Amino acid sequence: MSSEKSDSKKKGCASFLDEKSSRRAFLKGLSIAAAAGSAALTTGCIPPAAAMGSEELQLRWQEFFKKNYRLMTQEEKDATVARLERLAKLHNNLDVQVSSEPPLENVLYGYAFNITRCEGFMECVAACVKENNLDRKTHTQYIRIFEMEPGQLDPGTGDGQYFHEVPVENKFYMGTQCFHCENAPCTKACPTRATWREPDGIVVVDYDWCIGCRYCQAACPYYGRRFNWGQAEVPPEEVTTRQHYLGNRLRPKGKMEKCTFCIQRTRKGRLPACVEACPTGARVFGNLLDPESEIRWVLKNKKVFRWKEELGTDPKFWYFID
Amino acid sequence: MTKLYTICFLLLIMAFGFLTDAAASESSFVDEIKNTNERFDTRAVPLARQVTEESVLAMEEYQGGSFRVLARKKSIERYRCSRCHTGKPVTAAQGLELTHGNIALAHGTEGPGLTCIDCHHAQERDYLEDKKGRKIDFDHSYQLCGQCHFRQKRDWLGGAHGKRVSNWAGERVVYNCTSCHNPHSPRFAKRFPATYSVPLD
């Protein structure tokens, strides 16, 4: 009985060796298995195949073999956008519109922050969290507001965790976020080229090419980048459905993310959510290449400075005083 | 002697190299921005959202062109004022307390403080009046506010004070003074922040 069993086992092994001995077929099988394995790793919690429809499996499979966003043709972008929209419907029952809107011609976005006017109400932070579908569980925020002592100009010296009635006498408030450097150190640190500077000056991340190594986070001198340790938890009724591929779409787990100047809004002429929410008008946003824009007026007529300018990163984010 | 000359020569070369380096690092993209003077047609940008808030054409210029400000009169509950304030004096008992009792006047508190007719037209109540006696429409209150707050008005005209409505592109529509500030008590009240932050990772 037992000898019979071992015999058949032997036969099985032999047949495997005999029949699939072609090197090419073996390597092919191996690479597919490895791809499936790493797909399971990167997407994190893949539900058991039985729970997932065959359509969802197929879409996920196709998604896994797509290119870097910068190498995609418009057709490929449209195809992945359609897949992402369908997946959001199948998996989360959400009707989202993912855009792949290209940058506008002759536009370079710039931002100015008035440290005289900001009173620390943090409406910008709340609006940003909502607009960009940030994780409510771990309290991810792209913007931080620091309560500063007079005479200090480095946000590192400020209190970033205040919670009391504001404004406090003899303090001022300073906001930080991704500064969208022209000479961005984070993009140079990325081993997979998953982050880059778009022609309109926005530094973006391709979430599907990010491997979550966090080199960029270490490279950023402004603490502008955030890492998501888990799938973002957003109440379904609060999800912003107008999304951008490089912006506020629901990110997979284990990816780097950051402020994108609300790419889904600004490429369509709108102000970023933080500017629109600011109750004191401390935030100025506009096109640096337009000599008649507000941001250019601020740069020309106000006392402006940039944080850690000596590093040569050339951030497109200025602080100014009245 | 030749040794000294060589050292001097070397120092000169080093100094020259240093200077050219400094000059090279000074021309940054900020200079490129400053030298970009081609007109950008901001109205040609396709907009996802048109400004739907009611606005009026401002009586001032922005960089040589026109712009719009948010209208005010629709949001004043009891406008038109002349429905009560006719030519005759209002004689209703406790009229002031019953109709305008909600107004807490806290404007100019660092000085003697302002009274109603410092801003409101004494005879024609549908209008404001500046110190030169000009009649000013409620929609164009920036003309009135700007006579004391001229620095803020200059910044507001340029774009460093206040903000645009919704869009960075398209026709320039900005918030009026009274869209953000309560004219009777213009300073923002102290309150708790909308949210709070936790430490990074």
Side-chain angles (χ1 to χ4, degrees):
Chain A
M1 183 79 188
S2 67
S3 67
E4 202 183 314
K5 210 177 195 177
S6 69
D7 211 40
S8 71
K9 211 181 199 176
K10 232 179 229 168
K11 211 187 250 172
C13 273
S15 72
F16 177 79
L17 283 173
D18 288 342
E19 285 162 26
K20 297 192 178 170
S21 58
S22 134
R23 182 181 141 86
R24 182 172 291 173
F26 175 73
L27 284 177
K28 200 176 171 192
L30 200 70
S31 65
I32 288 176
S38 55
L41 274 178
T42 47
T43 46
C45 46
I46 286 190
M52 202 159 42
S54 65
E55 190 189 355
E56 193 175 341
L57 261 178
Q58 193 189 343
L59 288 175
R60 277 178 183 250
W61 186 251
Q62 287 168 352
E63 270 293 280
F64 189 72
F65 289 104
K66 70 185 175 186
K67 293 181 194 159
N68 184 305
Y69 185 78
R70 275 187 294 179
L71 299 176
M72 286 186 201
T73 60
Q74 192 55 49
E75 291 81 56
E76 285 170 324
K77 283 179 189 170
D78 293 343
T80 179
V81 157
R83 281 199 296 270
L84 287 171
E85 286 174 352
R86 184 72 189 136
L87 274 172
K89 181 71 185 165
L90 287 171
H91 197 65
N92 299 324
N93 196 24
L94 287 169
D95 291 301
V96 302
Q97 301 140 36
V98 184
S99 144
S100 58
E101 188 85 13
L104 294 158
E105 288 278 314
N106 292 325
V107 172
L108 185 68
Y109 296 112
Y111 206 115
F113 185 98
N114 190 340
I115 55 173
T116 319
R117 289 280 154 230
C118 179
E119 305 207 330
F121 295 136
M122 289 176 85
E123 301 278 353
C124 49
V125 182
C128 171
V129 167
K130 192 161 186 321
E131 170 71 25
N132 289 301
N133 298 322
L134 300 188
D135 187 20
R136 311 293 205 269
K137 189 178 151 202
T138 58
H139 238 77
T140 308
Q141 292 166 345
Y142 293 165
I143 305 174
R144 283 184 89 88
I145 307 288
F146 293 89
E147 192 171 72
M148 305 281 296
E149 295 292 336
Q152 297 291 338
L153 284 179
D154 180 353
T157 64
D159 176 11
Q161 290 159 57
Y162 65 88
F163 190 70
H164 45 67
E165 283 204 335
V166 287
V168 174
E169 291 294 317
N170 210 22
K171 301 254 180 166
F172 74 98
Y173 298 85
M174 205 162 169
T176 63
Q177 58 199 68
C178 171
F179 292 167
H180 298 274
C181 306
E182 278 293 283
N183 184 18
C186 52
T187 61
K188 295 171 191 165
C190 181
T192 58
R193 298 200 184 179
T195 180
W196 66 91
R197 175 195 169 277
E198 283 277 288
D200 54 5
I202 304 178
V203 177
V204 293
V205 181
D206 183 339
Y207 307 117
D208 293 317
W209 272 74
C210 173
I211 54 169
C213 70
R214 302 191 280 146
Y215 284 9
C216 53
Q217 192 174 30
C220 176
Y222 302 108
Y223 318 105
R225 292 183 159 244
R226 304 285 180 268
F227 186 70
N228 64 359
W229 292 93
Q231 182 77 45
E233 284 184 19
V234 187
E237 67 279 7
E238 283 183 27
V239 171
T240 305
T241 54
R242 267 184 219 156
Q243 304 176 350
H244 194 284
Y245 190 91
L246 302 170
N248 60 343
R249 74 181 161 106
L250 293 165
R251 274 98 31 199
K253 163 180 165 180
K255 305 295 175 182
M256 215 64 209
E257 48 183 88
K258 62 188 229 7
C259 157
T260 59
F261 277 168
C262 286
I263 196 165
Q264 64 281 356
R265 291 167 149 251
T266 45
R267 286 202 173 162
K268 291 179 176 169
R270 284 193 79 176
L271 289 167
C274 48
V275 180
E276 206 168 313
C278 180
T280 61
R283 292 170 175 269
V284 180
F285 181 84
N287 179 7
L288 290 168
L289 301 183
D290 176 6
E292 291 179 1
S293 65
E294 284 89 354
I295 182 89
R296 283 284 290 272
W297 194 91
V298 168
L299 294 187
K300 199 173 170 185
N301 294 286
K302 289 288 164 187
K303 293 182 183 76
V304 298
F305 68 95
R306 291 183 288 175
W307 186 22
K308 299 188 184 174
E309 191 163 18
E310 68 280 8
L311 297 180
T313 48
D314 267 343
K316 291 190 287 296
F317 190 104
W318 285 265
Y319 293 101
F320 70 102
I321 48 179
D322 263 355
Chain B
M1 194 64 188
T2 38
K3 212 174 181 182
L4 195 73
Y5 272 128
T6 325
I7 289 170
C8 282
F9 184 67
L10 277 174
L11 276 174
L12 209 88
I13 286 177
M14 277 165 70
F16 185 71
F18 183 74
L19 280 176
T20 45
D21 263 16
S25 65
E26 266 170 28
S27 71
S28 67
F29 91 104
V30 179
D31 297 309
E32 280 170 46
I33 288 168
K34 278 182 192 161
N35 296 328
T36 310
N37 288 313
E38 270 171 65
R39 208 178 156 276
F40 174 81
D41 189 5
T42 176
R43 298 188 195 202
V45 176
L47 299 177
R49 179 189 184 274
Q50 299 293 331
V51 177
T52 48
E53 291 86 344
E54 200 186 336
S55 61
V56 292
L57 199 64
M59 292 182 184
E60 307 267 351
E61 284 195 341
Y62 172 70
Q63 310 219 350
S66 63
F67 70 101
R68 299 182 77 84
V69 289
L70 287 190
R72 165 75 174 163
K73 279 187 274 197
K74 282 272 170 67
S75 55
I76 304 176
E77 277 172 49
R78 279 184 285 267
Y79 191 82
R80 310 180 62 94
C81 312
S82 58
R83 282 182 302 186
C84 300
H85 295 282
T86 50
K88 299 170 202 161
V90 181
T91 52
Q94 287 185 302
L96 178 66
E97 288 80 5
L98 289 173
T99 51
H100 299 307
N102 57 336
I103 293 172
L105 202 58
H107 195 158
T109 46
E110 280 168 27
L114 298 182
T115 58
C116 308
I117 55 160
D118 278 324
C119 300
H120 290 274
H121 201 290
Q123 282 81 42
E124 290 184 64
R125 292 296 171 90
D126 289 338
Y127 292 92
L128 301 164
E129 188 188 35
D130 71 4
K131 291 294 159 199
K132 288 179 182 162
R134 283 188 304 162
K135 235 168 42 172
I136 289 168
D137 194 284
F138 278 100
D139 283 342
H140 299 284
S141 53
Y142 51 87
Q143 292 177 318
L144 180 90
C145 307
Q147 52 183 349
C148 297
H149 305 286
F150 50 89
R151 287 190 194 90
Q152 282 84 344
K153 189 184 171 190
R154 184 191 60 205
D155 286 351
W156 174 78
L157 282 172
H161 186 112
K163 58 178 184 177
R164 289 177 65 129
V165 182
S166 274
N167 300 323
W168 65 266
E171 188 179 16
R172 187 179 194 244
V173 186
V174 296
Y175 283 87
N176 214 326
C177 310
T178 46
S179 315
C180 305
H181 297 280
N182 176 352
H184 300 121
S185 165
R187 195 173 285 280
F188 296 130
K190 269 193 178 194
R191 60 181 161 97
F192 269 87
T195 181
Y196 61 95
S197 296
V198 295
L200 290 177
D201 296 338

